[in-house]
Structures are given as structure tokens and as C-alpha cells.
Amino acid sequence: MKLPASVRILALCQALYTIGISIQLTLTGLAGLQLASDKRWATLPFSLIILSAAVTTLFAAHWLQRAGRRSGFLLGAGSGAFGGALAFVALWQHSFALLCTAALFTGGFQAFAQYYRLAAADSVGSETKGRAIATVLTGGVLAALFGPLLARSAQGWLPGVLFGGAYLMASLMGIATATLIYMGYKPVHMTVSTKDSTVPPRRLRQIVAQPVFQAALASNAVAYLLMAGLMTATPLAMLGCGFTLADGAGVIQWHMLGMFAPALLAGWLVQRLGVTVLGLTGTLLLLLASLLASQSLSLPAFYIALLLLGVGWNFMFVAGSTLLALSYRPSERGKTQASSEFATSLLAALASLAAAPLLQQLGWQQLNHYAPCLLLLPVVLLLRQHRQSRRSGSDD
């Protein structure tokens, strides 16, 4: 079945967003270090991006349902464009407070962009939701290839403002996203059956009690928690092992390729093998990544472990997002997506904030030794959901 044109537009939006946000996440810590009078607060703007995204996720879901996806995605892209421009002004004016304010708007862009994949899933039938989600995530491949290159080349555009050109580039990505949405995005909604249109929406606790929702949330949240925590800790761990910043940048770039390139395959796998097999394969890859990282501090080990971490995250995230899209009726979309995305974003934010202290206390190898314990939850819930779907005769 051919996917709607709106899915391809959302994949391009995902690419532009990921390029813009990767520039901001790469440089915000360094910009904070430059502007903060007390260097202990240097990472505050970085943390504010993540926390703002988590909080805004709740608002974004309800806005998208009530005002429409086109309006919501335009608002998110505009927030990203303004955040990048404001960060440039902060660097120009040497204002740490302005940089922190800019981070809040950048987090808003991230919150709305998280719904690109779910908008794609809602535009197709249940049998192709996984492929639609995976197609949108392939947009991140372009970001993994060109994001770091653009960040390095753009930061020298304005010699008098360190990193200023890179932040203007991030702002341009927001403007480009808004232009693409305004000119080319036409939301597609599946026809609501008479039964679904007459049945009143369920309470949130009823939706959350479903095994399909619990399996979706566990897959998404645990994948994001491990990915965000270990990715944040990786550059610090590598510096502690004597590697250079260039080595760290190379490892993160391969990690980003691992996060998005497999989406080209995940869409096919979820249709051929099913959601459960894809999700369990992702947990296995995350387990292998942690085991490798806990056993070796060599540069190849960092490269392979972070690549496996990215691929495992992708498989678990595609599986979890597909299950999430199957857990609600159209009238329940806003509150269901909001609760899942908020929980996932909040855990990712906490993992990022805790990464440095845990790394300092435990060390890189010990941190990876404990990480796989978290994978038990999605494994159990995915298997339970699979058994229930087989009993009910549905296809997962």
C-alpha cells in the first residue's frame, strides 16, 4: 500500500528538525560555558531544552487535537526558529539569561516535532502504521550525515560571535520546516467508523490499563531513558579515557546514524515479523551495546556500542510507537499521546541530568553494567501484549 504524500512531507520535516536540534544540543553546553559567570551552571540551558520539551509535550498534544496538526506543527517550527535566533542574540549580547530563555523555545520545537511520527501513523490503516512511523524516522538519516558538518561550518560565519552562525543555521531549519508545512503538508485522517464515532471516549485510566498501551510506553520510555543517559555520558567518558573531542564527535555521529538509518529496514521488518519481534530485537541490541561498553574502553568498542545503542533504540521506538498508535480511538488521541510522550520525555530528561553524576560515581563500565536491568520491563510487557493479541485473534 502506498503511503500518503503527507508522510513523506513529515519525513522531510523530521530531517530539518533533527538537523536544527542537533546543532543546538551539540553547542548549547559550550555556549553556556562561555556565557555563565558561574561555570557550575554551564549545562543549565542544555537541561532546559530537555525539560521544556517534556513539559510542552502535554500542551502540544492537546493543541494538535483541537487546533489541528498543521497549526500545531507551524507553531512548533516557529518556536524553533525563534529559539535559534534568540540564542544568536544571547551570544551577541553575552547574556546567559537570554540563552536559557532561547532553550525553552527550542524545547517547544522538540515537543511538537515528536508528534510527526504519530501524525503519520494516524493517517494510515493499522497494517501500515509501523511503516509510516519508520518512514518519518528515516528523515533523521540526513541529520546524522549533515548536521555535524553544518554545525562546524556555520559556527565560523560570524567571527565576532562565537557559535553565532551555527545558531542562525538552527533558526533557518525552523523557518524551512515552517515553510514546508505551510506549503506542502495536508493532514490526512483515516475515516472514523460509525461505531467509533458514537462510542464515548474512555477515561485515561482505562486506556493506560490496556496491555497494548503499557507495552508501548515501556518500549518507548526505556529505550529513550537508556539512549539519552548513555549518549549524554559518552563524550564525558571518552574524554576521561584520553580520547579527543573529535573522537567523541565521530562516535556520536555514528550513534545518530544507528538511530535513524535502520528505519529504512524497520518499516519492512514490522510488517514481516510483527511488532513484538522488532521490539524484542531492539532490547537484545541494547543489551549487547551495554555488555560491550562494560567490557572494553577501546575506541572501536565505543563506536560499536554506540552504533548498537542507536539501532536498538530505533527498533524499540518504532515498535513502541506502532503499539501506541493502536491503543486509542481517534477521540482519545490527544490525551493518550500526551500521557505517553510526557512520560517518555520526562524520563529522557532525568536520564540526561543524571548521566554526569552517575558517570562520576560509578564510572563508564559500571554504569553500563547496571543499564540492562531496565530492559526486563519492556521484554515482559511486550510478551504479555503478544499473548493477548494472539488470544484475541488480532495481528501485532
Side-chain angles (χ1 to χ4, degrees):
M1 178 181 176
K2 187 177 180 180
L3 295 174
S6 61
V7 175
R8 294 188 290 275
I9 293 293
L10 289 171
L12 291 174
C13 290
Q14 177 77 23
L16 294 170
Y17 149 73
T18 310
I19 290 173
I21 201 72
S22 65
I23 291 173
Q24 298 244 34
L25 292 176
T26 299
L27 298 178
T28 295
L30 298 174
L33 187 65
Q34 178 189 349
L35 298 180
S37 56
D38 185 343
K39 302 308 179 186
R40 291 177 297 179
W41 295 100
T43 59
L44 178 61
F46 182 92
S47 300
L48 286 175
I49 292 177
I50 301 172
L51 291 173
S52 172
V55 173
T56 309
T57 293
L58 294 172
F59 163 78
H62 294 291
W63 181 281
L64 291 167
Q65 175 130 8
R66 294 183 181 183
R69 284 178 172 140
R70 193 163 179 263
S71 170
F73 291 155
L74 282 172
L75 178 62
S79 179
F82 183 76
L86 190 60
F88 166 76
V89 175
L91 290 166
W92 183 30
Q93 297 293 324
H94 298 280
S95 172
F96 184 69
L98 271 183
L99 185 65
C100 290
T101 305
L104 298 176
F105 286 95
T106 299
F109 188 17
Q110 184 174 344
F112 277 95
Q114 287 177 188
Y115 291 96
Y116 291 160
R117 75 190 197 283
L118 296 176
D122 290 340
S123 69
V124 298
S126 59
E127 69 282 357
T128 51
K129 289 185 183 296
R131 186 156 65 95
I133 289 168
T135 298
V136 171
L137 292 180
T138 58
V141 177
L142 294 175
L145 291 172
F146 299 111
L149 177 63
L150 288 172
R152 286 193 295 269
S153 61
Q155 64 180 330
W157 284 355
L158 303 168
V161 184
L162 186 61
F163 307 135
Y167 278 104
L168 287 180
M169 175 62 74
S171 181
L172 286 174
M173 291 301 104
I175 294 171
T177 304
T179 302
L180 184 59
I181 292 167
Y182 183 77
M183 299 293 292
Y185 178 59
K186 295 179 180 179
V188 176
H189 301 281
M190 294 299 295
T191 304
V192 180
S193 67
T194 304
K195 178 181 177 182
D196 284 340
S197 63
T198 56
V199 174
R202 294 168 292 180
R203 295 181 181 274
L204 183 59
R205 65 172 178 265
Q206 294 175 287
I207 299 170
V208 171
Q210 300 175 102
V212 63
F213 178 89
Q214 293 172 4
L217 180 58
S219 296
N220 288 341
V222 171
Y224 244 113
L225 187 153
L226 288 174
M227 186 275 294
L230 295 177
M231 182 181 71
T232 304
T234 294
L236 301 176
M238 293 187 68
L239 287 175
C241 293
F243 297 110
T244 66
L245 289 174
D247 292 328
V251 168
I252 294 301
Q253 187 171 19
W254 276 95
H255 169 67
M256 289 186 66
L257 278 173
M259 287 176 63
F260 296 110
L264 298 166
L265 180 63
W268 178 81
L269 288 176
V270 76
Q271 286 190 300
R272 296 289 182 178
L273 304 178
V275 177
T276 303
V277 173
L278 185 67
L280 292 177
T281 303
T283 63
L284 177 61
L285 291 172
L286 288 179
L287 175 62
L288 292 175
S290 291
L291 289 176
L292 177 60
S294 67
Q295 297 300 313
S296 175
L297 294 175
S298 67
L299 185 59
F302 274 105
Y303 267 100
I304 297 172
L306 268 292
L307 179 64
L308 290 174
L309 179 67
V311 178
W313 171 85
N314 182 283
F315 284 4
M316 288 186 70
F317 196 55
V318 170
S321 299
T322 303
L323 290 172
L324 177 63
L326 296 171
S327 69
Y328 53 80
R329 300 167 186 156
S331 60
E332 302 162 349
R333 186 183 70 219
K335 60 186 178 184
T336 307
Q337 292 179 354
S339 60
S340 174
E341 296 302 288
F342 174 71
T344 300
S345 298
L346 183 61
L347 285 173
L350 292 175
S352 295
L353 291 171
L358 286 175
L359 179 65
Q360 186 175 16
Q361 182 178 358
L362 299 175
W364 174 250
Q365 290 178 298
Q366 195 69 8
L367 181 62
N368 279 277
H369 182 74
Y370 288 122
C373 299
L374 297 171
L375 294 171
L376 182 62
L377 180 63
V379 168
V380 171
L381 294 180
L382 282 168
L383 290 174
R384 186 183 68 167
Q385 156 61 19
H386 180 67
R387 286 196 300 270
Q388 187 194 58
S389 67
R390 292 190 66 180
R391 286 198 300 268
S392 63
S394 62
D395 182 17
D396 74 347

